[in-house]
Amino acid sequence: MIPNLFDYQRAASLDEALALVGSPGTKVIAGGMSLLPLMKLRLANPERLVDIGRLAELKGVRELPDGRLAIGALTTYSELAVSPARHYGLLGDALPDIGDVQVRNRGTVGGAVAHCDPASDLPAVLLALDAEIVARSKRGENVYAADGFFTGAFSTALAEDELITEIRLPGPRDDAGSAYASLAQRASGYSIVGVAAIVIKEGGSAITKAGIALTGVGDAPYRAKAVEAALIGNEGTPESIAEAATHASDGVTVNGDIHADSEYRTAMAVAYTRRAIAAALGRLG
Amino acid sequence: MAEHMTEHIALVVNGTPREGDVEPRRMLVQFLREDLELTGTHVGCDTSQCGACTVTIDGMAIKSCTMLAVQADGANVKTIEGMQAADGSLHALQEGFWAKHGLQCGFCTPGMIMAASDLLARNADPTDDEIRHAIEGNICRCTGYHNIVLAIREAASLVRAGASAPTPTSITA
Amino acid sequence: MATAVQDVLGTSVRRTEDPRFITGKGRYLDDIKLTGMAHLAILRSPYAHANIRSIDTTRAKTMPGVIAVIVGADIPYNPLPMAWPAGGASGLQNNVSTPRTLATDSVKWTGEGVTAVVAETPEQAIDALEAIDVDYEPLPAVVDAEKATQPGAVQLHENAPNNIVFDWTVGDKDGTEKALAEAEVVVRERLVNHRLIPNPMEVRGDIGWYNPGTDEYTVWMSSQTPHIQRLLLTAFVTGIPEHKVRCISPDVGGAFGTKIFCYADMALVMFASKLIGGGRPVKWVESRRESYGSTIHGRDHITYVEIAGRRDGTVTGVKVKTFANLGGRLSTIGPGIPTTLYGRVLSGCYKIPNVYAEVTGVYTNTTFVDAYRGAGRPEATYVIERAMDLFANEIGMDRAEVRRKNFIPKDAFPYDNPSGLGTAVNGEKIYVDSGDYEPAMDMALKTAGYADLEAKRAEAKTRGKLLGMGLSTYIEVCGVAPSKWIGAVGEGWGAAMWESSNVKVHLTGKVIVTMGTQPQGQGHETTYAQIVSHELGIPMDDIVIQHSDTQGTPFGYGSYGSRTSSVGSTAAIKATDKIKDKARRYAAHMLEASVDDIEVDGAEYRVKGSPDKKKTIQEIAFALDLGFSLPAGMEPYLDETAYYDTPNCTWPFGTHIAIVEVDEETGETDLVRYVAVDDVGKKINPMIVDGQLHGGIAQGVGQALWETAVYDDDGQLLSGSMMDYALPRASWLPSFELGETVTPSPVNPLGVKGVGEAGCIASTAAVANAVNDALSPLGIKHLDMPFTAQKVWHAIQATKGGRA
């Protein structure tokens, strides 16, 4: 199918992009993996596209002096998969199964975060890791915590005039184990349930910190705080993990569709949460 | 309705500089097929699922139905028509698909070959599982993938043997 | 001197068509660009059921680039033909409603064409669709075939009370009911064979070109049957004389049945081209989403099966009642699929004395249903193979042994099946040609490790997986069909089903063969060349196979129903027989010998006892085509045509075994191994035959595990794109383990049986039986396809006291 007519402007600099973002009828395009399919079906009909795809300042992955990892918003999934980010167990799990190779070669980290598909994998990973999302506007820079950023289906805390420039991940640590486990919707490849899990044992045998986030289950990717709470102080026995996982969709209105009704999705949220936590603990040794 | 501008683009396709004026909504696949008349790249769906439109940009497989032609301005694009060597000899993947009956109706084949070329550039000796994973973005309705896996494996071994394979002069060779 | 020509028959030579496909030089419908070509787009109904109050095209006509806007009332054509009226033998009533070129008064499914725009570019045509205002009166819809026949259901057509297209029966009702009444064991089950969207990778499209200078039409179409389409479009739809229309099918990017039929868009592009004038061609290509409402769907049966027998494993009767969903209007041969090609083969490969089937064809507010790969036979195989498992499980006997006990014995061929196709109608019936079913099953059982099933099950259980193994000992009728039978029984196209071939050996010794069949990826250009090379002793490289154009090929019925290798190939052999006969007579003339003394060895025509006195076929062709010296009464040129009507159908068979693992916690079901032992008779090109099996297996597995067309109660297609309709992908499938037995068919000189559909016919039932086997330890007796994770999970939960 063919999109409706629109005007196109390629931003030559970040400042030029920021001057255009937020005007009525304008959408930002980077890889276009989320936006173009909607436009082809005429479900999205912007009057103007601002192409930020060439902004070199938004590309690349670098380690910050404090050990954190800064991922430029235009970094593709494929680039991320060969960057130091792959050493985070949950990213190593998630990246090879996001979309397909063609999508990973074009789809960008910033695009996935800004689009906030309710079944997108990357937001769950960022939530679990307590990542930061850096945005810019003409007004200046704004740093969002991932927790709280994903506000609903295709909806984020990003202001109309803001562009995501960078994602920052906390530095890797030896006392953390992480994993990602998902059940895919066969046709689309999106997750029916995706669970990102990170567990930390700061000395001793008990879990002292946990980040558990789910996608596909509710309106938007979310932190499963009841699961996290149940894990703290927990030794990570199979029984205790299983118990913690039962809280996977506490307080969430669970989605239902032809591929997974809400009852099934609820059960899978529990099962995959348990699996992700167990795998994360397994990596902790 | 407001007047919408066309955009001028210049890119390299199969080693040859090409230019055109396109509506911004023109997808790369339409530019290749309709403006450049490179009809080997196909359209099999409208939701970026089937991969029949796969081409490479700087060796990376992409779906040309989900990329605006203007986004490819300045890019180095390769399509199935650019896979043969200048002397007409087949690329190892073309040879592999022919030798192992990796195609039937042929409609998915160009996209499948281009996706496989991305794999072989990254992995000279892929396992069957790696091959199957690498072509997940490409749907074939004819072969059940069985012979496509064999074809890509064959191509990989031809490449490892250090050559783009010789082309048989006869189908009975 | 001429070197000996390698005999390529039966060998896996590379395909001659591949060089163009692997280099991007195939030429599919949408690759064709003609001078002055305009583009057509179709506005389709968003409602499953509605009356059309009015259509306002005023705004659309003013849109940029728009040349014409067409509504149904503008078009003087007849509705599309319904060519297979499901047989008169059992007194059905056909209450026919077929699509018009564009809908006029009402729409019966989401996607029925309502208005068309012709514009300078495809973009402009699509843009203008949004400026058409159609005033609909929405009506309630019904999508379930069984519910549609019940009192109070929404009525689609005035001429079809209770939405019934036909009530068709086959077999011995009284005998079967008696067998059921007297049986030691009767097992009953309701089986749903869900709806599929075939999804060849190339969608359909057409280009119509009216040439005002000649008053002739040319129609390019992505079709399996260009000759039939010319016949149907002229004799039934447009009223344009047949000799004024030429149909061309370029390279076809897969079809699987969907491109057999006469579609409204074919007539529409013809009408549009003449309408806009100037000799401008008009092209229409469906989008993938559009195709889900504009190209046929497959399957969609609800069946009640009863299987009766003795506790020693003998099956004594099978009774079937099926509701077949045919959609909102009838496709070209829709009624033929659940009757002739389903009801008549329900007894499978078993010798069952009493079989009776009732099939009710039903209108619903859904896309029309017609032949999809296997066409009726996968549905029949699913019913009988599930029934055999249910029966075996009920009597506590091994599934393979129950099958073995009921196989048609190998000394019973040709087998006169007392039911189905063996039922004589006006003195005509069809026999099962040949078979030997046990060796194929034994080979499959051994390869799959059937004897170790329980050990495999126990091992999988330690991994949290429920392992299951499923058998499908299928049989397939193909190579359709003897014209005499069709004429007597009243089933099949309302015409014969012979095939045709023309062979010319030109002056230079090169051979051009034109065929009435039409490939869609099966490698006809290779296999026919192998046959002709074998027959004439001419190298394959010197032979070209042409097809796909009503101008320049003899009339043929096209390719579907796995008929090309048995019927089409035999036509080619008959043509080469005529060539050889004439060449032999001309050799006698050249060598001044009597015809009886000429012996043929490949390309050489020799005088018996005088080995030096010989001519090659190339030498003969040169002299005969030149025509300087002709014997009395002989015409010049080595050019012969043959029409071949098959005396019987062919019956491939085999045993497929699927091994699946079900994740007990999540319901996720994986196919872990697939073993197939097929007997398709002799093979012209084993590589191509195996490829057909691979593809068929994958499609059948796809139905069992993933693919499903889902409508909501309002008739909206929820699985309306590839985002929601799951086609098999490479990483979901294992490599297939193929084996073979070879029982030549006595029906044709090559001994071939046909293979295009076999994999698809067998594999769905094999996987269904495997999943049900995996679930059987939980007490589940039957679960319908597709075995999506959520469905399997719900079934498992139900056994644990949860809700289903």
Side-chain angles (χ1 to χ4, degrees), chain C residues 347-411:
Chain C
S347 56
C349 57
Y350 309 109
K351 188 172 181 175
I352 302 174
N354 301 286
V355 179
Y356 175 70
E358 292 177 9
V359 181
T360 301
V362 185
Y363 287 116
T364 66
N365 296 109
T366 60
T367 299
F368 37 25
V369 176
D370 208 319
Y372 166 53
R373 200 172 196 172
R377 290 150 293 167
E379 296 92 315
T381 303
Y382 180 65
V383 169
I384 191 66
E385 290 302 301
R386 276 303 295 139
M388 292 303 280
D389 267 23
L390 290 164
F391 178 71
N393 292 343
E394 179 66 26
I395 63 173
M397 191 167 164
D398 180 80
R399 294 167 287 162
E401 293 315 306
V402 169
R403 284 171 167 78
R404 192 186 305 280
K405 192 169 185 71
N406 290 283
F407 277 155
I408 302 164
K410 70 175 177 182
D411 57 5

Side-chain angles (χ1 to χ4, degrees), chain A residues 84-186:
Chain A
R86 72 182 185 281
H87 298 305
Y88 292 79
L90 76 181
L91 272 168
D93 291 341
L95 286 170
D97 286 325
I98 292 176
D100 47 49
V101 66
Q102 294 96 324
V103 168
R104 293 191 294 276
N105 284 344
R106 289 286 296 159
T108 66
V109 169
V113 171
H115 187 63
C116 192
D117 189 294
S120 177
D121 298 295
L122 196 63
V125 170
L126 302 188
L127 281 166
L129 280 171
D130 265 329
E132 290 174 339
I133 296 152
V134 183
R136 283 278 298 278
S137 71
K138 283 175 288 188
R139 296 171 289 120
E141 186 169 284
N142 201 355
V143 179
Y144 293 93
D147 193 9
F149 182 79
F150 303 102
T151 53
F154 309 104
S155 157
T156 69
L158 201 67
E160 287 282 318
D161 61 346
E162 284 182 323
L163 264 183
I164 296 173
T165 54
E166 191 169 272
I167 310 294
R168 292 184 192 139
L169 306 184
R173 45 195 291 177
D174 294 336
D175 57 358
S178 73
Y180 190 80
S182 65
L183 171 65
Q185 197 264 73
R186 292 277 186 171

Side-chain angles (χ1 to χ4, degrees), chain A residues 30-262:
Chain A
M33 293 298 96
S34 303
L35 182 58
L36 290 177
L38 294 175
M39 290 174 62
K40 286 168 70 179
L41 300 175
R42 301 196 172 190
L43 298 172
N45 299 290
E47 289 166 25
R48 178 164 63 174
L49 284 189
V50 176
D51 185 353
I52 61 166
R54 311 244 168 151
L55 301 180
E57 55 265 58
L58 301 189
K59 293 184 181 175
V61 179
R62 60 207 164 91
E63 287 175 64
L64 300 177
D66 60 4
R68 289 183 301 163
L69 206 61
I71 302 166
L74 289 179
T75 306
T76 65
Y77 289 117
S78 292
E79 289 162 349
L80 195 61
V82 295
S83 79
R86 72 182 185 281
H87 298 305
Y88 292 79
L90 76 181
L91 272 168
D93 291 341
L95 286 170
D97 286 325
I98 292 176
D100 47 49
V101 66
Q102 294 96 324
V103 168
R104 293 191 294 276
N105 284 344
R106 289 286 296 159
T108 66
V109 169
V113 171
H115 187 63
C116 192
D117 189 294
S120 177
D121 298 295
L122 196 63
V125 170
L126 302 188
L127 281 166
L129 280 171
D130 265 329
E132 290 174 339
I133 296 152
V134 183
R136 283 278 298 278
S137 71
K138 283 175 288 188
R139 296 171 289 120
E141 186 169 284
N142 201 355
V143 179
Y144 293 93
D147 193 9
F149 182 79
F150 303 102
T151 53
F154 309 104
S155 157
T156 69
L158 201 67
E160 287 282 318
D161 61 346
E162 284 182 323
L163 264 183
I164 296 173
T165 54
E166 191 169 272
I167 310 294
R168 292 184 192 139
L169 306 184
R173 45 195 291 177
D174 294 336
D175 57 358
S178 73
Y180 190 80
S182 65
L183 171 65
Q185 197 264 73
R186 292 277 186 171
S188 69
Y190 277 96
S191 289
I192 287 173
V193 171
V195 185
I198 177 163
V199 289
I200 297 172
K201 291 183 176 177
E202 294 163 307
S205 58
I207 297 168
T208 53
K209 285 181 181 161
I212 309 296
L214 282 81
T215 191
V217 178
D219 206 23
Y222 65 91
R223 280 279 286 268
K225 295 198 172 155
V227 178
E228 293 172 0
L231 287 173
I232 304 300
N234 189 315
E235 300 276 330
T237 63
E239 296 75 21
S240 64
I241 299 170
E243 195 288 321
T246 60
H247 301 290
S249 61
D250 282 5
V252 174
T253 303
V254 176
N255 299 328
D257 59 27
I258 60 171
H259 307 287
D261 58 31
S262 61

Side-chain angles (χ1 to χ4, degrees), chain C residues 140-370:
Chain C
V142 61
V143 299
D144 176 291
E146 188 176 17
K147 288 177 183 164
T149 62
Q150 288 165 0
V154 172
Q155 296 295 298
L156 271 70
H157 301 286
E158 281 182 11
N159 64 349
N162 302 315
N163 299 312
I164 291 173
V165 185
F166 57 79
D167 279 310
W168 179 91
T169 65
V170 68
D172 177 358
K173 185 179 188 195
D174 293 343
T176 303
E177 285 179 349
K178 185 161 178 283
L180 261 63
E182 294 172 353
E184 292 174 14
V185 179
V186 180
V187 186
R188 297 179 172 86
E189 191 56 76
R190 180 180 191 268
L191 306 175
V192 176
N193 196 309
H194 60 285
R195 176 181 287 246
L196 300 178
I197 305 177
N199 279 297
M201 292 318 298
E202 183 210 19
V203 293
R204 285 190 317 102
D206 324 287
I207 303 168
W209 175 42
Y210 172 70
N211 182 341
T214 60
D215 195 32
E216 290 173 345
Y217 292 80
T218 304
V219 190
W220 289 261
M221 48 177 61
S222 184
S223 173
Q224 298 170 241
T225 53
H227 285 282
I228 292 183
Q229 294 327 312
R230 180 177 63 174
L231 176 63
L232 296 179
L233 287 166
T234 56
F236 298 98
V237 182
T238 65
I240 297 161
E242 189 173 2
H243 65 291
K244 292 287 190 183
V245 176
R246 172 184 178 186
C247 291
I248 302 171
S249 211
D251 284 330
V252 175
F256 314 115
T258 62
K259 298 175 183 175
I260 299 173
F261 313 114
C262 188
Y263 286 100
D265 41 82
M266 297 169 175
L268 184 56
V269 295
M270 294 170 72
F271 177 81
S273 177
K274 185 169 186 182
L275 177 76
I276 66 172
R280 297 188 66 179
V282 174
K283 182 192 227 179
W284 169 80
V285 178
E286 65 187 357
S287 75
R288 178 63 63 182
R289 276 166 60 97
E290 182 180 21
S291 83
Y292 284 15
S294 57
T295 292
I296 63 103
H297 293 180
R299 318 279 189 256
D300 204 343
H301 286 193
I302 296 167
T303 293
Y304 294 86
V305 62
E306 299 172 74
I307 182 167
R310 293 195 289 270
R311 294 207 170 271
D312 69 357
T314 308
V315 176
T316 55
V318 171
K319 187 179 174 193
V320 167
K321 165 71 192 177
T322 293
F323 296 90
N325 196 335
L326 297 175
R329 304 189 198 275
L330 299 181
S331 172
T332 315
I333 59 170
I337 309 309
T339 53
T340 312
L341 293 175
Y342 166 78
R344 289 185 172 279
V345 294
L346 268 166
S347 56
C349 57
Y350 309 109
K351 188 172 181 175
I352 302 174
N354 301 286
V355 179
Y356 175 70
E358 292 177 9
V359 181
T360 301
V362 185
Y363 287 116
T364 66
N365 296 109
T366 60
T367 299
F368 37 25
V369 176
D370 208 319

